[in-house]
Amino acid sequence: MNPKAPRGTFDVLPADARLRLQLLKIADELLGQAGYEPFETPVFEDTELFARGVGESTDIVQKEMFTFEDKAGRSLTLRPENTAGVCRAYVEHGMHKLPQPVKLWYWGPFFRHEAPQAGRFRQFTQLGAEALGSDDPSLDAELILLLAELLDRAGVGETRLRLSSLGTPETRAAYLDELRAYLHGREDALSEDVRARLDDNPLRAFDADHPGTRAVMQGAPHLLDRLSADDADHFADVRALLDDAGLAYEIDPTLVRGLDYYTRTVFEFESPRLGAQSALGGGGRYDLLIEELGGPPTPGVGWAAGVERVLLAAGEGEPAADSRIYVALAKPDAAREGFRLARRLRDEGFRVEMEQAGRSLKGQLRQADRIGARSTVIVGDVIDVKDMRSGEQRRASDADEALALVREVGG
Ligand code: AMP
């Protein structure tokens, strides 16, 4: 057997791992400034949580969950998204007793059984932020601006922001009835898939690629024109704050996110640098979800961004210029002295690598070049410190003097 990572999964090799850590640092700093606290939930949850939280009729619940039974026969699911988990935790830990809103951010692995392709994996990483306990429109705007800033700092370049409002369940239900009636009247032109789920989830018809369905949707009524006065005001407030901040967006009344729990604001950032899987991140308001999961009525709003896609859009970038020192051994029995020197240099904060693979001295100097060492310490009967830029080599009488020379040249 020649073992490979499972289909749709990937290893993160050091160059990428470094970029991911950089993104994590940017997120920590940016979100921390706005009062968001780091937070984690388990990688698997009771299946019921997602069935209720994400919605029975969604693609995620119907087709994409990695579900398994534990030894006691309980059904568990690898988390496909985190909002349901965050809401569960909010209720479980009585966070409604804390000053509101409770602001949280997270980073971790998520799992969806999708057909793997560029930018679409079965295990991927999401970075997300949520604000629970207030329906203030400034939270919607704050979160959208934070995601825009994060993407900008990550170096993804130009993005497209689509924005809409889904209103409340009442207006949405009335609208859905209107849309169903409209679609039933044109059933012959619709794709089989849309027809099969017409009564369940007619909104998904806006997402269809099928030409007949697309033509029908051109004339379909839009939810944005049916919002209640409250919801329309809320949406206007969100937009005013975004306008004030100078953030460009497109109102897209056909924006349907693939999760059932959204109310009011929904949004999605896309990158023209990505192919078919162009969504970098998105989210929205979910004012009824916590109650749905058995908690007190509690509004919430949040987003999740796909870490792999953000880094894909950002491109390779410049590799971080690391200062490095290489400790070479001029003879095998210098190993202990070299090891000691490497430790002392690391204690001083240098990034140090040493000969640990039985290379010849020539091979070691080549290796020092390869890792971009600033200086190389050659340990033998004497200790030489080589400035790798100028090629100049100076001799030290002992370890202390060698350290002083390294400090001069730099690491
Ligand atoms: P969603 O909650 O489905 O909108 O997901 C939020 C973000 O996660 C998306 O905008 C993508 O960037 C990312 N994402 C979702 N599914 C996948 C996947 N299968 N592979 C990679 N990234 C994904």
Side-chain angles (χ1 to χ4, degrees):
M1 182 190 177
N2 193 3
K4 291 209 167 83
R7 211 166 117 70
T9 72
F10 53 88
D11 300 305
V12 180
L13 301 181
D16 275 338
R18 224 167 240 283
L19 295 173
R20 291 161 74 97
L21 276 181
Q22 280 170 12
L23 183 61
L24 194 57
K25 278 190 205 142
I26 293 172
D28 183 30
E29 189 180 298
L30 182 71
L31 295 166
Q33 273 184 319
Y36 291 76
E37 294 285 342
F39 169 80
E40 292 178 34
T41 60
V43 162
F44 57 82
E45 299 264 6
D46 286 334
T47 301
E48 175 69 14
L49 176 69
F50 301 117
R52 276 173 57 189
V54 178
E56 291 279 10
S57 70
T58 58
D59 274 353
I60 291 182
V61 171
Q62 286 198 347
K63 302 185 206 159
E64 296 171 3
M65 298 207 301
F66 282 94
T67 297
F68 59 98
E69 274 189 7
D70 70 5
K71 289 186 175 158
R74 279 179 294 252
S75 180
L76 300 172
T77 292
L78 295 181
R79 58 185 187 181
E81 61 96 59
N82 211 23
T83 305
V86 170
C87 290
R88 189 230 359 100
Y90 180 92
V91 176
E92 191 167 331
H93 299 283
M95 291 190 211
H96 60 279
K97 294 187 206 115
L98 300 173
Q100 306 295 304
V102 174
K103 294 176 165 187
L104 305 166
W105 74 273
Y106 62 86
W107 163 295
F110 291 84
F111 307 84
R112 294 184 193 173
H113 200 287
E114 300 189 271
Q117 54 174 275
R120 191 201 264 178
F121 311 99
R122 289 183 173 170
Q123 176 177 339
F124 56 99
T125 314
Q126 277 188 350
L127 161 61
E130 317 277 345
L132 303 114
S134 165
D135 67 359
D136 196 286
S138 71
L139 288 167
D140 307 45
E142 173 178 288
L143 278 159
I144 293 171
L145 289 164
L146 283 169
L147 182 50
E149 177 68 21
L150 181 87
L151 294 172
D152 187 51
R153 288 198 202 175
V156 304
E158 193 194 327
T159 56
R160 171 177 177 227
L161 168 58
R162 293 189 297 145
L163 181 69
S164 190
S165 173
L166 298 179
T168 46
E170 292 75 32
T171 48
R172 200 168 164 188
Y175 164 74
L176 289 180
D177 284 343
E178 183 186 348
L179 181 62
R180 272 188 206 102
Y182 174 84
L183 292 174
H184 273 304
R186 293 154 184 83
E187 239 174 286
D188 291 348
L190 301 175
S191 75
E192 213 170 296
D193 195 39
V194 167
R195 241 180 304 153
R197 286 161 63 188
L198 201 159
D199 287 314
D200 240 12
N201 200 352
L203 274 177
R204 298 306 304 271
F206 283 112
D207 271 351
D209 291 327
H210 178 256
T213 309
R214 288 181 76 100
V216 169
M217 297 323 285
Q218 299 261 314
H222 285 161
L223 180 55
L224 265 186
D225 303 322
R226 305 288 189 273
L227 295 184
S228 71
D230 269 1
D231 292 343
D233 284 350
H234 191 275
F235 193 44
D237 286 346
V238 174
R239 280 160 41 196
L241 291 170
L242 296 180
D243 292 340
D244 202 46
L247 184 70
Y249 56 83
E250 293 163 35
I251 299 290
D252 183 351
T254 68
L255 177 61
V256 179
R257 307 231 338 117
L259 306 126
D260 272 359
Y261 49 62
Y262 288 112
T263 50
R264 293 187 161 175
T265 315
V266 285
F267 56 93
E268 200 155 88
F269 284 85
E270 286 173 8
S271 167
R273 292 185 188 172
L274 298 177
Q277 304 303 315
S278 61
L280 290 166
R285 185 163 273 292
Y286 45 89
D287 289 344
L288 304 164
L289 181 57
I290 291 183
E291 202 176 354
E292 169 69 29
L293 295 174
T298 312
V301 55
W303 51 252
V307 168
E308 289 78 20
R309 289 201 198 158
V310 169
L311 294 179
L312 214 61
E316 295 293 305
E318 284 293 299
D322 270 317
S323 56
R324 290 183 194 220
I325 293 169
Y326 193 78
V327 176
L329 307 177
K331 54 174 194 166
D333 60 6
R336 195 179 294 181
E337 173 71 10
F339 191 80
R340 210 177 291 134
L341 247 172
R343 271 201 302 124
R344 286 185 64 185
L345 286 163
R346 285 176 189 151
D347 282 348
E348 289 201 19
F350 290 110
R351 190 182 161 109
V352 185
E353 289 181 37
M354 70 173 285
E355 164 53 24
Q356 289 170 312
R359 293 182 186 86
S360 67
L361 186 57
K362 203 168 145 207
Q364 294 181 49
L365 290 173
R366 214 179 298 129
Q367 174 65 4
D369 261 342
R370 215 177 283 138
I371 67 162
R374 180 70 185 85
S375 47
T376 298
V377 185
I378 306 164
V379 188
D381 293 327
V382 291
I383 305 174
D384 288 321
V385 176
K386 182 171 181 182
D387 180 331
M388 300 297 283
R389 273 185 214 158
S390 67
E392 188 197 352
Q393 195 161 310
R394 284 195 281 170
R395 181 147 297 176
S397 52
D398 58 17
D400 288 335
E401 202 184 323
L403 247 71
L405 286 175
V406 170
R407 272 183 229 118
E408 244 179 69
V409 179

